[in-house]
């Protein structure tokens, strides 16, 4: 079986920086496996500026930040498998991939997990009400608008004040939607203060702190949400409830590292260290823990790439 | 006036007096931001335009320089009737202040 020095799972900012660092560390045969049809990961849909101030000392948009690494990658012979999804890894460092040419199992001397994170969805929130269309995560809306060119709705309420939700409040407003409220259960906003200012205040979008959505109403499509103030135990206060008519609810209520591959293989990840419990398997970026800014993902991924290179060059001893 | 700097994620709390003198900033960019915010607020804007012949139907764009805050919606309207044709280079001029922010190969 063909053996790679390193297989990087995920071609977003973490995977790109990790692969480049491993190459700089002396590894020859490197493969990046990416399930999307292009490299860049979530940066491709993050069209707003604000990336790169630490790493490049200038303010870039997401696609520009990704583009810099994609161009560096093109100057190497690092292999890239697009439209290809890793469905299993093993503690023996085998990687099962399903892609355009069917299924294949590849052997690696090291693996870097750079699989990013997922958004928390409606289920775990336990919001009462019906199950109409029009309830989607902020990141899904971002993809619809910025990559696919669809508007998810006309009158929008945002639940949670994570950065993606704030960014989408502005984006949807610019594209002609009415963003009626951003509802945050905590007494403080989740996203960066700069995003509160330039995404909500600039467009006079009300931010309801210490409030929650108690019910989502609507038959086929969202028709309204019911909002209430919460007490210090985050319980709705009786009599404080009011309704907001809307056709769309965006959820911006947290991100969760995507670590199903490691979990299924029994490979332990502690949420802090780029080394997993299995020698030769490393993890970085939002798959390890969720980062506020991509520059820190890049720095962490570079350490993971260097660590994988050192591991392989030492003949499998870290 | 009191404002929060939007230049970087540090989000400094700025105080700006009537003559545009800034305190509370951790870097020179914050001074420029605070003075502008008091005297003539500006923003860098991002959006997308139609593109044909590429792997997606939208190409991301930004204003190549900060534009006055009160001209944001006028700037947005400039993009309504634009359609790019792939291949598109990064940094290509689109219309008015807008430039592309990624390259898109012809599919």
């Amino acid at each position: 079986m063909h053996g790679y020095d390193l297989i990087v799972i995920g071609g977003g900012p973490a995977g790109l920086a990790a692969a480049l660092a491993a190459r700089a560390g002396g590894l020859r045969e490197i493969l990046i496996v990416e399930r999307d049809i292009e490299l860049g990961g979530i940066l491709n849909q993050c069209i707003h500026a604000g990336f790169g101030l630490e790493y490049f000392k200038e303010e870039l948009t997401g696609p520009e930040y990704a583009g810099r690494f994609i161009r560096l990658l093109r100057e190497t012979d690092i292999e890239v498998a697009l439209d290809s999804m890793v469905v299993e890894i093993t503690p023996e460092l085998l990687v099962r991939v399903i892609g355009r040419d069917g299924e294949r199992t590849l052997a690696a001397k090291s693996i870097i997990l750079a699989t990013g994170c997922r958004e928390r969805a409606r289920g775990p929130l336990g919001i009462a009400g019906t199950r109409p269309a029009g309830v989607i995560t902020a990141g899904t809306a971002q993809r619809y608008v910025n990559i696919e060119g669809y508007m998810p709705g006309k009158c929008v309420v945002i639940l949670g004040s994570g950065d993606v939700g704030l960014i989408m409040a502005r984006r949807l407003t610019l594209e002609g939607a009415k963003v009626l409220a951003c509802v945050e259960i905590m007494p403080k906003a989740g996203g960066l203060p700069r995003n509160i200012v330039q995404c909500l205040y600039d467009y006079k979008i009300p931010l309801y702190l210490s409030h929650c959505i108690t019910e989502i109403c609507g038959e086929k499509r969202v028709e309204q949400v019911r909002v209430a103030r919460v007490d210090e135990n985050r319980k709705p206060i009786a009599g404080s409830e009011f309704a907001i008519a809307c056709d769309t609810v965006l959820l911006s209520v947290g991100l969760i590292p995507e670590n199903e591959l490691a979990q299924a293989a029994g490979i332990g990840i502690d949420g802090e260290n780029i080394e997993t419990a299995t020698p030769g398997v490393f993890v970085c970026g939002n798959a390890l823990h969720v980062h506020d800014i991509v520059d820190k993902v890049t720095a962490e991924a570079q350490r993971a790439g260097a660590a994988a290179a050192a591991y392989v060059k030492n003949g499998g001893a870290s | 006036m009191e404002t929060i700097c939007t230049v970087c994620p540090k989000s400094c709390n700025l105080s700006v007096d009537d003559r545009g003198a800034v305190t509370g900033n951790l870097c020179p960019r914050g001074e420029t931001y605070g003075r502008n915010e008091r005297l003539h607020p500006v923003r860098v804007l991002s959006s997308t335009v139609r593109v044909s012949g590429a792997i997606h139907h939208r190409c991301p764009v930004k204003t190549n320089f900060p534009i006055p805050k009160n001209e944001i919606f006028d700037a947005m309207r400039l993009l309504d009737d634009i359609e790019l044709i792939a291949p598109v280079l990064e940094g290509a001029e689109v219309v008015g202040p807008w430039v592309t922010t990624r390259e898109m190969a012809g599919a």
Side-chain angles (χ1 to χ4, degrees):
Chain A
M1 192 185 300
H2 184 79
Y4 285 94
D5 286 338
L6 168 64
I7 295 179
V8 178
I9 304 173
L16 291 167
L20 286 164
R23 163 54 49 87
L27 295 191
R28 305 266 16 121
E29 297 207 25
I30 302 175
L31 170 69
I32 300 177
V33 185
E34 167 56 49
R35 67 184 168 193
D36 204 345
I37 56 174
E38 59 181 339
L39 292 170
I42 210 69
L43 286 172
N44 291 327
Q45 68 182 55
C46 299
I47 62 165
H48 54 282
F51 304 90
L53 278 163
E54 275 185 30
Y55 191 75
F56 291 113
K57 308 295 174 207
E58 58 184 304
E59 187 166 40
L60 305 172
T61 66
E64 289 171 327
Y65 191 97
R68 295 210 176 180
F69 287 91
I70 292 168
R71 283 193 286 275
L72 285 174
L73 196 84
R74 269 191 216 138
E75 289 165 22
T76 72
D77 59 357
I78 293 172
E79 226 179 290
V80 178
L82 295 174
D83 213 358
S84 299
M85 181 154 160
V86 173
V87 291
E88 186 184 9
I89 60 173
T90 74
E92 297 78 33
L93 276 58
L94 296 176
V95 178
R96 196 153 65 91
V97 184
I98 294 177
R100 290 170 183 163
D101 309 323
E103 179 185 336
R104 51 193 177 138
T105 298
L106 308 169
K109 293 176 188 150
S110 64
I111 294 173
I112 294 180
L113 302 166
T115 45
C117 59
R118 281 182 179 275
E119 297 176 281
R120 188 169 287 127
R122 179 176 176 179
L125 300 176
I127 305 169
T130 51
R131 311 286 294 178
V135 184
I136 58 173
T137 61
T140 299
Q142 191 175 44
R143 181 170 174 97
Y144 286 162
V145 177
N146 292 345
I147 304 276
E148 304 190 13
Y150 297 111
M151 282 292 276
K154 295 190 172 107
C155 296
V156 184
V157 170
I158 297 177
L159 177 62
S161 58
D163 285 310
V164 189
L166 300 175
I167 294 287
M168 284 313 293
R170 171 177 64 184
R171 184 78 188 103
L172 290 168
T173 304
L174 289 173
E175 291 295 348
K178 287 246 175 306
V179 180
L180 301 161
C182 177
V183 179
E184 168 60 52
I185 195 166
M186 302 303 286
K188 188 175 166 293
L192 297 166
R194 69 188 302 234
N195 287 334
I196 302 290
V197 172
Q198 63 189 359
C199 299
L200 297 186
Y201 295 174
D202 271 6
Y203 301 94
K204 301 184 170 57
I205 297 166
L207 171 61
Y208 293 92
L209 296 172
S210 298
H211 278 72
C212 71
I213 291 181
T214 52
E215 190 179 350
I216 295 173
C217 316
E219 294 232 345
K220 288 195 172 138
R221 179 81 194 192
V222 175
E223 289 164 20
Q224 65 168 12
V225 293
R226 299 196 63 80
V227 176
R229 179 179 286 279
V230 297
D231 63 21
E232 59 274 18
N233 300 315
R234 290 187 244 158
K235 297 285 178 239
I237 299 170
S240 71
E241 230 181 4
F242 59 97
I244 302 176
C246 59
D247 59 26
T248 304
V249 179
L250 293 197
L251 304 174
S252 179
V253 288
L255 302 168
I256 306 158
E258 178 164 339
N259 278 320
E260 279 155 14
L261 288 173
Q263 268 168 18
I267 295 172
I269 292 173
D270 68 8
E272 272 181 51
N273 291 295
I274 55 173
E275 294 85 9
T276 68
T278 300
V281 182
F282 302 87
V283 57
C284 59
N286 285 350
L288 177 56
H289 60 103
V290 174
H291 296 64
D292 279 341
I293 46 178
V294 70
D295 305 64
K296 296 198 191 300
V297 168
T298 297
E300 186 177 275
Q302 288 174 333
R303 285 196 292 117
Y311 175 85
V312 171
K313 287 165 81 183
N314 287 341
S318 16
Chain B
M1 69 180 250
E2 307 293 313
T3 189
I4 295 169
C5 183
T6 66
V7 172
C8 88
K10 289 195 178 79
S11 304
C12 292
N13 290 301
L14 306 179
S15 294
V16 192
D17 72 15
D18 291 344
R19 290 168 301 125
V22 181
T23 51
N25 52 308
L26 290 174
C27 80
R29 289 193 301 255
E31 186 175 352
T32 308
Y33 176 85
R35 189 167 51 244
N36 282 338
E37 202 60 9
R38 175 72 184 77
L39 304 172
H40 49 95
V42 291
R43 294 289 183 269
V44 169
L45 208 53
S46 295
S47 188
T48 63
V49 286
R50 281 187 206 93
V51 59
S52 59
I55 57 167
H56 303 303
H57 299 297
R58 308 296 299 187
C59 179
V61 295
K62 70 175 182 184
T63 62
N64 207 16
F65 43 83
I67 61 167
K69 213 170 131 183
N70 58 11
E71 293 173 17
I72 284 175
F73 285 92
D74 294 333
M76 286 296 293
R77 272 191 289 276
L78 288 177
L79 298 174
D80 288 349
D81 301 319
I82 304 288
E83 178 159 356
L84 305 178
I85 296 163
V88 173
L89 293 173
E90 183 184 318
E93 288 182 17
V94 176
V95 61
W98 296 99
V99 296
T100 59
T101 59
R102 67 168 284 180
E103 57 176 66
M104 296 186 102

